């Protein structure tokens, strides 16, 4: 028996790096399969950009589940709302979007994104108060309520904007690609990667370096204990829910620009993708969600390039494979 | 009582409503002439069976599946592809049934074993993912499924509208193949609903309810919950595929929009919740209300929308547009989950003073 002196540092928690290595391994494995280095680099960049966007949309969902055991099937609605709200700013200012100046373009994009986040966040407040609060703690009703919310949100968007697809052109300065040798990387993808990385780092800093983050992490692990210590976890949860909704709105804007169109049905397609990411990552884990998003995007991009027929079911296969390996996702942070 | 498996509606009003619905459905070819009424009646029959099978999952085991339309679609496509490929004969119908039903059951078994094993909460998400992949698959494999266009086919001689079985001069009504098909749909749907009623009132059904109320305790009592849940999943898939077969036979067509789309899944969810979860009878009520609303409320909304438009009101014409009827049903859905979690059936049973009404969720 060895005594532990009070001055000794706390034993470091074991780092579980196998999931972190997974995307790298997958990417390296693909080099010989794809053959050409330039297409591999382009595909990898595309996967990273797509992964970052999915991560932004999925991060809120996984935290909301981890913290409060709330499964929000209406999360996709925030994505669509964010995209539609952005058109409110971008359509009247089309001239600035067409201008060939990065700063002028960003000067329009930034307020559009901020407005989207504000509206989605506010909607999150309403959804949490009206739909989730009354059925708190009942999974079945939560799923039904939030699905109902999704229907209502989607139909309201159709009623307000009409059922047609709204085009959302990329700003001029973000069109085209950076050419490095024979590798072409779309400019917008670089921007998406940067924003995604910034969001990831910001979330990690808040979670790991602030008292708020400490409370959230503690809440994910053991809700009752945090409540017993006198913290109002419901308020914390509301904050997390609104932040998650706002991030979904931001992701919606980015996705709409990526696809250059807006339609309320985007929420359906993305909801499926986001669920797969959240399951793969382990419910409640931000790191797992990040890796899961990149993995899903990689499988979609590499798979689409190598075996286009398989691309349709590749996400399901990925999910099956991961769950066979770790039945509760890459990082199982909750005890549920 | 035997035929209802000892589980009567337990409310006088409910019994009356059910009897009226069933009699109206049975007499539709004679009471309401015209193709539209018959179509609506057939759709109510098919959806009553489909929703009842979903109720077995949602109401009795408490697990939310979003893959139910997948099984419905498998049934539809199996019969459509068989009749399309083999020509309009009874052997093709038999092939469709023999291939479609086991396929649906096997897929349900695979999903059940896989997703019920990991964690109950994953079930809803995984079924959603699998169903969406299946939908994409069905629209991509166009050599088999006809892609977005789907498959139209002809029915065997006996079931065609042109076949006159009893001519008009005998009873004053013409009994043709179309009406025979309707009664086939009606009878098979009724049989499937009665079978489901039998299942939920068997000891097996009691275990399902025990799992719904407290899975941990059911497990502690020695029931293999994964086995029961998977079994229920397979049974529900079988009935859903059966309903799909009926639907394809009635429409003489199977395509993504009529049998696979996510909106059908939402429709089923709306019907089961509005009708009343965990009652089976709720399926009949829910399907009737929903499909009547779908077919007749929309025209009413069109009138209201035009009136609002003429009055120059803002926003209202858009909100009342006939295509937005799901918006109002969505609101009704949320309200009914919140205020009447037991649905119409539960409400009627409570009003009747039945103590055991609306088994709590």
């Amino acid at each position: 028996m060895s005594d532990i002196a009070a001055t000794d540092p706390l034993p470091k928690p074991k780092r579980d790096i196998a999931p972190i290595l997974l995307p790298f391994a997958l990417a390296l494995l693909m080099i010989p399969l794809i053959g050409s280095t330039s297409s591999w680099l382009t595909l990898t960049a595309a996967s990273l950009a797509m992964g970052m966007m999915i991560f932004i949309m999925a991060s809120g969902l996984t935290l909301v589940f981890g913290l409060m055991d709330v499964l929000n099937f209406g999360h996709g609605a925030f994505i669509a709302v964010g995209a539609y709200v952005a058109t409110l700013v971008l359509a009247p200012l089309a001239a600035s979007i067409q201008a060939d100046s990065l700063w002028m373009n960003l000067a329009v994009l930034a307020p559009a994104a901020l407005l989207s986040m504000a509206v989605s966040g506010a909607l999150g407040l309403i959804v949490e108060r009206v739909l989730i609060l009354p059925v708190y703690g009942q999974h079945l009703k939560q799923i039904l309520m939030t699905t109902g919310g999704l229907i209502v949100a989607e139909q309201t968007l159709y009623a307000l904007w009409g059922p047609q697809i709204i085009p959302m052109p990329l700003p001029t300065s973000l069109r085209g690609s950076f050419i490095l040798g024979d590798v072409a990387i779309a400019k917008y993808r670089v921007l998406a990667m940067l924003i995604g990385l910034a969001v990831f780092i910001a979330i990690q800093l808040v979670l790991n370096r602030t008292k708020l983050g400490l409370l959230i992490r503690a809440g994910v692990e053991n809700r009752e204990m945090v409540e017993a210590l006198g913290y109002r976890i419901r308020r914390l949860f509301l904050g997390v829910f609104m932040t998650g909704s706002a991030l979904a709105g931001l992701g919606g804007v980015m996705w709409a620009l990526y696809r250059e169109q807006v339609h309320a049905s985007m929420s359906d397609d993305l909801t499926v993708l986001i669920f797969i990411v959240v399951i793969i990552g382990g419910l409640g884990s931000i790191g797992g969600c990040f890796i899961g998003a990149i993995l899903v995007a990689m499988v979609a991009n590499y798979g689409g390039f190598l075996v286009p027929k398989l691309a349709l079911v590749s996400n399901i296969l990925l999910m099956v494979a991961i769950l066979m390996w770790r039945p509760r996702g890459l990082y199982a942070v909750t005890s549920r | 009582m035997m035929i209802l498996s000892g589980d009567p509606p337990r409310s006088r009003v409910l019994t009356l409503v059910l009897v009226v619905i069933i009699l109206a459905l049975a007499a539709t070819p004679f009471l309401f002439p015209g193709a539209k009424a018959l179509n609506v009646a057939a759709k109510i029959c098919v959806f009553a069976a489909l929703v009842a099978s979903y109720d077995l999952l949602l109401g009795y085991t408490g697990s939310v599946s979003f893959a139910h339309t997948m099984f419905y679609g498998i049934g539809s496509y199996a019969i459509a592809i068989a009749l399309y490929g083999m020509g309009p004969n009874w052997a093709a119908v038999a092939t469709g049934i023999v291939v479609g039903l086991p396929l649906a059951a096997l897929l349900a078994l695979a999903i059940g074993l896989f997703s019920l094993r990991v964690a109950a909460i994953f079930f809803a998400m995984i079924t959603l993912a699998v169903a969406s992949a299946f939908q994409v698959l069905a629209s991509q494999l166009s050599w088999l499924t006809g892609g977005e266009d789907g498959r139209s086919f002809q029915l065997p001689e006996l079931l065609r509208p042109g076949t006159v079985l009893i001519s008009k001069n005998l009873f004053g009504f013409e009994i043709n193949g179309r009406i025979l098909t309707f009664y086939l749909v009606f009878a098979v749907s009724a049989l499937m609903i009665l079978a489901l009623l039998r299942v939920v009132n068997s000891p097996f059904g009691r275990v399902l309810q025990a799992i719904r109320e407290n899975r941990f305790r059911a497990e502690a009592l020695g029931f293999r919950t994964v086995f029961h849940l998977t079994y229920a999943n397979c049974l529900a898939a079988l009935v859903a595929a059966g309903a799909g077969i009926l639907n394809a036979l009635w429409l003489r067509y199977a395509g993504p929009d009529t049998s696979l789309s996510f909106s059908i899944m939402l429709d089923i969810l709306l019907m089961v919740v509005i009708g009343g979860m965990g009652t089976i009878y709720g399926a009949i009520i829910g399907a009737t209300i929903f499909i009547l609303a779908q077919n007749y409320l929309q025209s009413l909304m069109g009138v209201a929308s035009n009136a609002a438009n003429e009055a120059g009101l803002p926003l209202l014409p858009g909100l009342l547009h006939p295509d937005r009827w799901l918006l109002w049903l969505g609101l009704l859905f949320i309200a009914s989950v919140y205020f009447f979690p037991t649905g119409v059936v539960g409400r009627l049973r409570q009003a009747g003073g039945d103590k055991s009404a609306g088994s709590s969720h």
Side-chain angles (χ1 to χ4, degrees):
Chain A
M1 288 291 277
S2 62
D3 289 325
I4 299 173
T7 51
D8 280 355
L10 285 168
K12 280 243 159 78
K14 251 201 198 156
R15 282 210 175 267
D16 183 8
I17 58 163
I20 301 175
L21 296 178
L22 209 55
F24 292 103
L26 187 64
L28 288 178
L29 188 73
M30 286 299 152
I31 298 180
L33 284 178
I34 289 169
S36 118
T37 321
S38 60
S39 11
W40 178 77
L41 274 172
T42 307
L43 283 175
T44 309
S47 323
L48 287 178
M50 187 181 163
M52 296 296 178
M53 281 188 267
I54 300 174
F55 165 72
I56 292 178
M57 295 182 246
S59 54
L61 189 68
T62 199
L63 267 188
V64 162
F65 181 86
L67 189 62
M68 269 339 231
D69 211 6
V70 166
L71 198 51
N72 183 10
F73 268 74
H75 197 69
F78 300 125
I79 298 172
V81 167
Y84 272 97
V85 168
T87 63
L88 286 182
V89 177
L90 295 182
L93 296 173
S96 316
I97 289 287
Q98 304 303 330
D100 191 12
S101 143
L102 179 62
W103 294 115
M104 215 158 149
N105 292 162
L106 287 183
V108 181
L109 276 189
L114 285 178
L115 183 69
S116 296
M117 290 176 74
V119 172
S120 319
L123 189 67
L125 175 75
I126 299 171
V127 167
E128 204 272 343
R129 289 287 121 165
V130 176
L131 293 185
I132 294 179
L133 200 63
V135 291
Y136 177 66
Q138 299 157 282
H139 272 155
L140 179 64
K141 283 190 180 176
Q142 270 166 18
I143 295 175
L144 296 178
M145 282 290 232
T146 51
T147 309
L150 179 67
I151 300 176
V152 171
E154 233 180 74
Q155 294 295 322
T156 313
L157 287 177
Y158 282 134
L160 294 178
W161 270 275
Q164 72 280 11
I165 292 175
I166 300 174
M168 194 160 175
L170 260 182
T172 315
S173 59
L174 291 174
R175 290 178 177 281
S177 313
F178 294 117
I179 313 282
L180 306 162
D182 55 353
V183 182
I185 296 174
K187 287 179 185 168
Y188 181 66
R189 290 192 174 138
V190 177
L191 180 73
M193 267 187 264
L194 289 177
I195 297 179
L197 213 56
V199 169
F200 177 64
I201 293 172
I203 294 179
Q204 286 293 13
L205 282 180
V206 170
L207 282 183
N208 293 319
R209 293 275 183 276
T210 64
K211 189 177 177 198
L212 187 69
L214 187 72
L215 284 175
I216 294 174
R217 280 185 298 138
V220 168
E221 212 153 285
N222 192 334
R223 184 168 61 232
E224 279 88 359
M225 187 55 84
V226 177
E227 275 179 318
L229 291 172
Y231 293 101
R232 269 185 279 191
I233 199 150
R234 303 306 314 268
R235 197 161 288 182
L236 201 64
F237 172 65
L238 182 62
V240 171
F241 194 90
M242 287 175 65
T243 314
S245 314
L247 283 176
L250 174 66
V253 180
M254 291 171 68
W255 190 263
L257 281 170
Y258 176 60
R259 288 284 153 116
E260 303 200 44
Q261 63 181 43
V262 181
H263 194 241
S265 66
M266 69 193 280
S267 55
D268 295 344
D269 308 335
L270 285 169
T271 301
V272 172
L273 212 56
I274 287 170
F275 276 160
I276 294 177
V277 165
V278 169
I279 294 176
I280 288 177
L283 290 162
S285 158
I286 282 291
C289 176
F290 188 70
I291 297 171
I294 291 176
L295 281 177
V296 163
M298 276 183 166
V299 167
N301 278 291
Y302 294 144
F305 180 80
L306 292 172
V307 247
K309 286 273 173 203
L310 196 72
L312 311 166
V313 286
S314 57
N315 287 328
I316 305 289
L317 293 180
L318 175 71
M319 183 170 73
V320 170
I322 299 271
L323 289 184
M324 287 295 172
W325 178 41
R326 295 197 168 175
R328 289 162 65 203
L330 291 175
Y331 291 110
V333 285
T334 58
S335 49
R336 293 178 286 271
Chain B
M1 280 303 104
M2 268 298 279
I3 193 166
L4 297 179
S5 312
D7 182 19
R10 293 206 306 271
S11 154
R12 227 169 268 155
V13 185
L14 180 60
T15 315
L16 193 71
V17 172
L18 283 171
V19 167
V20 167
I21 290 176
I22 291 164
L23 285 182
L25 284 177
T28 303
F30 309 104
L31 285 181
F32 313 102
K36 185 174 181 187
L38 203 60
N39 271 328
V40 170
K43 202 174 173 193
I44 291 177
C45 294
V46 169
F47 268 85
L50 179 64
V51 173
S53 70
Y54 191 66
D55 196 21
L56 175 66
L57 279 184
L58 183 69
Y60 285 88
T61 72
S63 45
V64 184
S65 160
F66 283 97
H68 216 61
T69 41
M70 181 171 77
F71 304 122
Y72 183 62
I74 288 175
S76 295
Y77 270 108
I79 206 98
I81 291 167
L83 277 165
Y84 179 83
M86 296 169 64
N89 50 50
W90 290 103
V93 175
T95 312
I97 294 171
V98 168
V99 174
L101 293 183
L103 190 67
L106 272 180
L107 204 56
L109 181 71
I111 293 179
L113 283 182
F114 178 68
S115 53
L116 294 168
R117 188 182 72 95
V118 278
I121 194 75
F122 284 173
F123 187 68
M125 299 163 122
I126 287 178
T127 50
L128 181 63
V130 171
S132 79
F134 187 85
Q135 194 184 338
V136 177
L137 207 64
S139 63
Q140 295 291 319
L141 296 176
S142 42
W143 56 271
L144 183 68
T145 60
E148 292 292 331
D149 295 334
R151 281 276 183 249
S152 300
F153 55 89
Q154 283 207 315
L155 290 176
E157 189 77 46
L158 183 64
L159 298 179
R160 287 186 203 160
T163 314
V164 178
L165 298 167
I166 299 172
S167 68
K168 201 164 182 171
N169 0 356
L170 208 58
F171 294 119
F173 288 105
E174 182 185 279
I175 307 283
N176 56 26
R178 190 75 177 149
I179 293 181
L180 187 69
T181 316
F182 172 75
Y183 280 112
L184 182 74
V185 169
F186 179 81
V188 177
S189 302
L191 273 181
M192 290 198 292
I193 292 174
L194 288 176
L196 282 169
L197 211 52
R198 185 77 204 89
V199 168
V200 299
N201 287 297
S202 65
F204 171 73
R206 293 279 178 271
V207 178
L208 292 184
Q209 290 171 53
I211 294 172
R212 174 190 74 199
E213 294 305 325
N214 191 333
R215 184 170 175 173
F216 186 64
R217 195 184 288 176
E219 215 163 310
L221 285 171
F223 295 110
R224 285 178 296 158
T225 53
V226 172
F227 165 79
H228 282 87
L229 288 176
T230 310
Y231 194 23
N233 204 18
C234 290
L235 278 177
L238 273 179
V239 177
I245 289 173
L246 294 179
N247 181 49
L249 281 179
W250 178 254
L251 295 176
R252 289 166 284 173
Y253 166 78
D257 288 342
T258 56
S259 53
L260 271 181
S261 72
F262 187 62
S263 62
I264 298 183
M265 192 61 245
L266 293 180
D267 293 352
I268 298 174
L269 210 54
L270 290 168
M271 288 184 223
V272 77
V273 170
I274 291 170
M277 286 183 279
T279 56
I280 298 292
Y281 292 110
I284 303 173
I285 307 263
T288 310
I289 294 177
F290 187 90
I291 290 164
L292 285 181
Q294 190 178 36
N295 283 283
Y296 298 103
L297 186 79
Q298 277 181 307
S299 36
L300 211 67
M301 282 179 65
V303 175
S305 172
N306 283 337
N309 206 1
E310 274 160 27
L313 295 168
L315 223 57
L316 263 182
L319 290 174
L320 288 174
H321 191 275
D323 287 348
R324 298 286 82 77
W325 73 290
L326 252 181
L327 171 68
W328 301 100
L329 270 176
L331 289 172
L332 180 67
F333 176 79
I334 293 174
S336 60
V337 173
Y338 189 27
F339 296 108
F340 325 104
T342 50
V344 174
V345 170
R347 272 276 136 167
L348 288 177
R349 282 182 175 172
Q350 259 168 7
D354 179 20
K355 284 285 184 291
S356 62
S359 40
S360 60
H361 291 270

